[in-house]
Structure formats: C-alpha cells, structure tokens
Amino acid sequence: MTTTSSSHATRLTIDGERLWQSLMTLAKIGATPKGGCNRQALTELDRQGRDLLTRWCEAEGLTVRFDAIGNLFARRPGRDDTADPVVIGSHIDTQPTGGKFDGCFGVLAALEVIRTLNAQGIETQRPLELVAWTNEEGCRFAPCMMGSGVFVGQLTLDDALSRRDAEGISAGEALAAIGYVGDDAHRPARLAGYLEAHIEQGPILEEEGDTIGVVTGALGIQWFDVTLTGMAAHSGSTPMHLRRNALLGATRVIEAVDAIAMAHQPDGRGTVGACQVLPNSRNVIPGEVTLSVDLRHSDGDVLDAMVAEFRQTLEKIASASDLALAVTQTANNPPQHFHPDCIAAVRRAAQAGGHAYRDIVSGAGHDAVLVAGVAPTAMIFIPCEKGISHNEAEYASPADVAAGADVLLHATLELAQQGA
Ligand SMILES: [Zn+2]
C-alpha cells in the first residue's frame, strides 16, 4: 500500500462529482422551495439526515457510534489502532431558512476523504474519525455548538439535555424521539488533531479571488446588554432642553460602537443588532432603551482595550444625556488561536494542490473553535457566493467544494501519517 501524496505526478485526488452529488442528495432532506434547507437539530428531518449519513459511512466500512448528546463518530481503523485518531467533520443541522453547504460541506468532505482513501486502498498510521456534531446551529435548542460544547466540557450533558424548544420539548426528549441517544464510551477520549472544512460565510475569499482560507483562529467575542433610562414625557408639551431622551442617547451609543470597531481594523467588529424602545410610542419621548452590543477582535488585548473604550464612552454619553446607565456582560469568549502544526498542514496542502490561498480569521463561531480548547485544531474555508449564509440562497461552486475537500484530504493525511 502506498502512502505517498506529496508528488504532483501521483497526487491523490478526491472525486468532486461524487462529493457534489452527496451534498445535493443530503440537501433534499428538508429542501425548501427557494433552494435552501430546513433540517433543524433533533427533528424528524435531522433523523433522516443522520440515517442517510450512517448508511453512507457504513457502506465505507466505518464503525458508526453516537455519544450521549448524539454526536456521530464514524471510525476508520489505523495501522496503529491504539493511537489517538485524527477527527474530521462538522455538522448537518441547518437554520430554518438555511443553505445546502453550511456544515454539510465539512461532513461530506470528510466522507469524501474516506471514500478516496478506501478507493485507493490507502492505510493511515492513525485511525480516522468522521464526526457530525449535534445541534451546531442552536436555533431550535440554545446554545449553538451544543454537541461540541458537551464534548469539550463547556456545557454539562444534563444542562444540554434539559434545554427546551419553543414548544417546551427538551433536547433530551427530542434526541430520544429520533432514536439517537448513544453512550459517551463511544467517543474518542483524546484527539490527535481536528480539521473542519466549512464555507467562509463572509465575502473575503471571493473578493480576493482566493479558493482556500487557511483559518488561523477565531475572533474573541464580548456581548453586553445596555439599558439607558431617561424620562418618558409628552412629545408636544415637553420643551427640547428639558428632555431626557433615552433613544437619543442610544443613537450615540450605536455610533460609538461602530467608531470603536472602525478604529481597530481589519479585525475589529462592533454591532448593535437589537434595540428595544419603551414605550415605543409616536408621541412619547422614549424613556428607556435596551441595546445589544457585540464586540469582536482576533487579539485578546485589543478586544479588552475596545471594551474599556466602549465602557468609558458609555459613561460619557449617559452623563452628557442625563440618562441612567446599566451594563450587563452576557458573553465573553476569548480569541481562539488554532494549532500551528494543523495550520501548517492545511497551508502545505493548499500550496501543494496549487490552490490560491490566504490566511484568514473566522468571524463566526464553529464547532472547531470549541474543539481547539482540547485538541490541536485548524479549519479550511472555501468561498461562498457574495458571503451569503444562513440563507436559502447560500451557494458554493462545485470547483471550490472540490478544492476544499482536496485540501482536507492532504492535510488529514499529513496528520494521520505522523507516528503515534
Ligand atoms: Zn456551520
């Protein structure tokens, strides 16, 4: 059996057509009229998707198991089968108006890697595990990245299983109803490495004409709820100089959040995405406004500096506008830096395959961002049209899908051939 993949003359190639057909076949389960996919976690359609994926994995001779939160692991033995496995995959649940590629591309690219190795009779030193994480999207059951969150210990199993959807059904009940409750004894205890291929969900690769994003890490995220309280009063009888208009203060906060992010380019992000105005009446001066604030940066120190500037600015705005201020932090995830060896394997695979590539930082959350806390990890991005995702119009080209799977194949081989 050969294990060489480095020379161009004999470079192992995936079957792009087979991968594309698999993506289109999985997308039929939960297909929406506008060409997208609605296959939310732990629904009957999720069960059908899992059934199909299980059949495909078993057809390749993989041993399919599930852990207690329903994460799917499909194992291909290694030459040294006691060695820690290299794990590859993503998720197959979607948003209610999701696309065909978010998550599914990473899982089916992993399947294509295994199909290619099987077709060529290539053994790896380490075992491989294909993974499909449960409930990455978090739209039916919060939080997102539930399966990987339980896997890495960020969330307890009991906590995850007790989360309820809008109908009051718990995640545990829904998981049992689709018949995918497994056992934690089935999941790998330790990972030699984790690689996740994913659509970029942003516009950078397309804009720059690159095919592969070598993902070096993910932005740190801090979330806040800000409440500004003034005085609700009659819009006609209250003179301008006597007003305590909470919405006017809020507009200054929105401007400031944007300015802080703009002052920390290219990686700074600042967003006010939700705003609640009380009493929200045409002829009443707004008495109270609550804003959501989302600040992100790739560098933890810079992010902390952005947050400090944000807090100071808030104080200034509140006192200048004669408003009471309350700030609650609702999330604080530090930036994640992926593992240098895994990043290097992805970069080498992109280069050897002749793909146009660049380093990129993920602005979105992914299962890989959590797994990076417990195992050497990296990600591979491919472009998606106009950066559109979480939308039925989401699209990645067959050529880019094939390129991403090609890079996943060769990066996986590099990690899996290293001595255990
Ligand atoms: Zn995803």
Side-chain angles (χ1 to χ4, degrees), residues 101 106 125 142 167 211 223 269 274 287 295 300-301 309 332 410:
F101 300 91
Q125 179 69 13
E167 262 96 69
T211 310
W223 282 353
R269 308 274 190 279
L295 291 168
D301 292 338
E309 195 182 332
N332 184 1
H410 290 277

Side-chain angles (χ1 to χ4, degrees), residues 91 102-103 136-137 198 201 366:
H91 62 94
D102 178 358
E136 192 274 345
E137 298 289 0
H198 207 282
Q201 302 179 289
H366 291 289

Side-chain angles (χ1 to χ4, degrees), residues 102-113:
D102 178 358
C104 299
F105 163 60
V107 172
L108 297 180
L111 179 65
E112 180 55 36
V113 165

